[in-house]
Amino acid sequence: MNLAKLFEMQRQLDERIEQKHPRQEGEDRLAKKILALQVELGELANELPEVFKFWSNKKNNREKALEEFCDGLHFLLSVGLEITEPDMLDLKSWNLTKADNITEQFLCLMADVTDLYNGLYNDGDSKFYYEFLLLRFIHLGEMLGFSWEEVEEAYMQKNAENHARQERGY
């Protein structure tokens, strides 16, 4: 897993977006990124109806789920760049276990996003919450059967698409 490479790619994209779409006075862009992450997690879950849509016979769409996972990863990395420096992260010190099933993993992840937001604006221990959230997100990808290699490849493709969108005035 080469998180440093992905963080650097995200930093370049974020800088480009900041140039094209400067922050407005009083704008809380970090809060907007956290909300965007929550939206992407919902979109990811929606591509996995077998995980929670007990009322439906629709099947999971692995390809679209991987794309949505990478959309979430973009916002998660972007949030991390605002909170800490990637080389300050210490994911190896965590002994976080995965939930018993994917539904629980999603629910824990959603709660972790809320904890991060609350931690940022209340107690300020954002690095702690961010590491926890990032690790839980990585575990979700593993539970969904995504290899890190395919996540990196899909992330790079989506990153290139996001740069092209900025070119086109998205």
Side-chain angles (χ1 to χ4, degrees), residues 25-64:
E25 185 176 328
E27 177 185 12
D28 188 349
R29 192 158 288 184
L30 180 56
K32 291 178 179 181
K33 289 178 182 182
I34 291 170
L35 176 58
L37 173 59
Q38 289 178 314
V39 169
E40 293 301 339
L41 288 171
E43 290 178 2
L44 170 58
N46 210 37
E47 295 300 337
L48 301 165
E50 293 174 71
V51 169
F52 73 101
K53 291 186 178 182
F54 56 88
W55 61 90
S56 175
N57 292 319
K58 287 180 74 176
K59 298 296 178 196
N60 292 346
N61 186 330
R62 189 177 192 283
E63 184 178 312
K64 288 231 179 208

Side-chain angles (χ1 to χ4, degrees), residues 64-122:
K64 288 231 179 208
L66 178 58
E67 184 178 325
E68 295 299 343
F69 184 83
C70 289
D71 286 347
L73 182 57
H74 269 85
F75 285 108
L76 185 56
L77 294 173
S78 187
V79 166
L81 289 168
E82 291 212 31
I83 292 172
T84 187
E85 282 299 316
D87 59 349
M88 299 295 291
L89 296 174
D90 183 17
L91 299 181
K92 291 183 174 118
S93 69
W94 288 92
N95 189 19
L96 180 65
T97 58
K98 298 173 190 168
D100 290 336
N101 59 59
I102 294 170
T103 301
E104 285 183 25
Q105 190 74 12
F106 264 108
L107 292 170
C108 291
L109 195 51
M110 294 290 207
D112 292 342
V113 174
T114 301
D115 288 346
L116 172 68
Y117 177 78
N118 290 333
L120 285 169
Y121 295 95
N122 294 326

Side-chain angles (χ1 to χ4, degrees), residues 62 66 70 144-155:
R62 189 177 192 283
L66 178 58
C70 289
L144 294 173
F146 301 146
S147 71
W148 191 252
E149 293 76 25
E150 69 183 327
V151 168
E152 280 188 8
E153 182 179 326
Y155 176 88

